[in-house]
Amino acid sequence: MSLDAILDIVAAVCLISGALLSLAAGVALVRFPDLLTRMHAAAKPQVLGLLLVLVGCALRLRTGVDITTLVLVGVFQLATAPVAAHMVGRAAYPHDEIRADLLITDELAAHLDRVGDDQGEGIRV
């Protein structure tokens, strides 16, 4: 086997596993019961699935410009997905979208008095 054939096989494995992880994240968004578990499903496996797809594309394309673009996409995804998930969780905390019985520790309970009234102000930091 040549090096190109081995790289193509590794790229195919990365692409298929990344697509399956992204599919699992999509199914979890529909099936999970509350906002916090859905948020976890949207952030964790989706980002890993995208990174595996990007690695598979980089192994298949093998040009400098394409790899640079794929690295930028991966870096921006890693920088924005956790921040977006955190902000959605903080904004949804004072509402009835989370199940408190599923929480092991509730670090924001002590700060609930800082939550705005029903006008949608959210949590002030």
Side-chain angles (χ1 to χ4, degrees):
M1 286 186 97
S2 68
L3 182 62
D4 287 338
I6 292 172
L7 288 177
D8 286 342
I9 291 172
V10 172
V13 168
C14 286
L15 287 168
I16 291 172
S17 59
L20 288 175
L21 272 172
S22 296
L23 176 68
V27 169
L29 283 174
V30 174
R31 301 283 315 251
F32 282 171
D34 67 331
L35 179 92
L36 296 179
T37 54
R38 287 181 184 154
M39 193 174 57
H40 176 80
K44 305 287 183 193
Q46 184 269 335
V47 171
L48 181 59
L50 176 71
L51 291 178
L52 283 172
V53 167
L54 293 176
V55 167
C57 289
L59 288 173
R60 184 69 181 109
L61 295 173
R62 298 184 198 123
T63 60
V65 173
D66 293 331
I67 291 175
T68 304
T69 305
L70 293 173
V71 166
L72 284 174
V73 168
V75 166
F76 288 136
Q77 183 69 25
L78 283 173
T80 58
V83 173
H86 177 77
M87 296 309 294
V88 167
R90 292 283 299 236
Y93 179 78
H95 305 291
D96 294 331
E97 299 294 323
I98 62 169
R99 291 181 47 191
D101 60 328
L102 295 177
L103 296 177
I104 295 173
T105 42
D106 191 1
E107 296 174 353
L108 290 177
H111 303 289
L112 197 55
D113 59 334
R114 293 170 50 191
V115 174
D117 54 302
D118 291 333
Q119 296 176 353
E121 292 180 21
I123 297 176
R124 294 182 212 113
V125 181

